[in-house]
Amino acid sequence: MSASRGGEMGERAGAEWVAHLTELRRRLIYVAAWFVASLCLGLYVSPRVLGYVKGHVGSVEVDWSVFSLTDGLVVYMKCALLVGVVLTLPMLLYHLWAFSRPGMTESEAKGTLLYVPASFALFVTGVGFGYAVAIPMMIRFMMKLNQSIGATEVYGIHHYVSFLVSFLLPMGIAFEMPLAMLFLTRLGLLTPDKLKSARKYSYVGLAILGSLISPPDFASHLSVTIPLIALFEISAFIAVRYYRRRSSLIPLGQV
């Protein structure tokens, strides 16, 4: 009797595992189809996006040069791929949430669903801040430095766009800090006491990060580091408020 019951339980577990894999496969197909469609849109809008970037980096005007026959093609494809990835990000986050939804309570599902638009909005905000504020200051500084040593300025399109992407993507990821800290607080891995003890080390780490992704001049360094520290403080405030609110709602015997 116990053997047959064990066999039934094993078959049921195997069936559930197959169902989970089927569900995951179906959602990955949706995400892949969305990415292909976004990539096609990226291929269409890439010339307009690159033209806008070339003429609207603050008040800085830069002429692009091509040093290889493939430079234009590589930049075009990179831009299309970047558009596809950015547009696919919210769809990927939603399907990750939907796949995990059966294991959540109703309140957990509603709370975590907000992470999808919030994560995308914060990423776009970070990229927008870097593009509108930090990048123009960095470019002006480097132009002045090049002119001070008598160098003739000729900017290759491949290196220029790679420089923009290598700076803007980390800025977009850095602006995910509020959600990351809130998520860690929800898991119980982050508490107000831990935040308080880690604050000074966080400041040092953010200052180092700001120096790594900005030019060595003081103004550019501050233009990156101060927003990162302010973002950390906002994230800490949100995390502490959530922790205290959750603690006040949990009965003392269940803490």
Side-chain angles (χ1 to χ4, degrees), residues 162-227:
S162 297
F163 164 74
L164 291 181
V165 173
S166 65
F167 177 81
L168 294 179
L169 283 182
M171 287 298 296
I173 295 173
F175 269 64
E176 300 284 346
M177 194 187 306
L179 279 187
M181 292 177 66
L182 182 59
F183 182 71
L184 292 175
T185 304
R186 288 177 66 97
L187 294 178
L189 300 177
L190 198 59
T191 63
D193 291 336
K194 291 181 179 179
L195 274 173
K196 186 177 180 179
S197 62
R199 176 173 275 109
K200 57 183 178 181
Y201 302 108
S202 300
Y203 280 10
V204 174
L206 292 174
I208 293 174
L209 176 62
S211 66
L212 290 176
I213 62 177
S214 65
D217 69 298
F218 189 65
S220 296
H221 177 60
L222 288 181
S223 70
V224 174
T225 303
I226 291 178

Side-chain angles (χ1 to χ4, degrees), residues 31-43 45-46 76-92 120:
V31 174
W34 183 270
F35 172 72
V36 172
S38 301
L39 183 61
C40 292
L41 178 62
L43 291 171
V45 302
S46 283
Y76 180 85
M77 295 304 297
K78 277 188 176 181
C79 182
L81 182 62
L82 186 61
V83 171
V85 169
V86 171
L87 294 181
T88 304
L89 180 61
M91 178 64 69
L92 175 62
F120 183 69

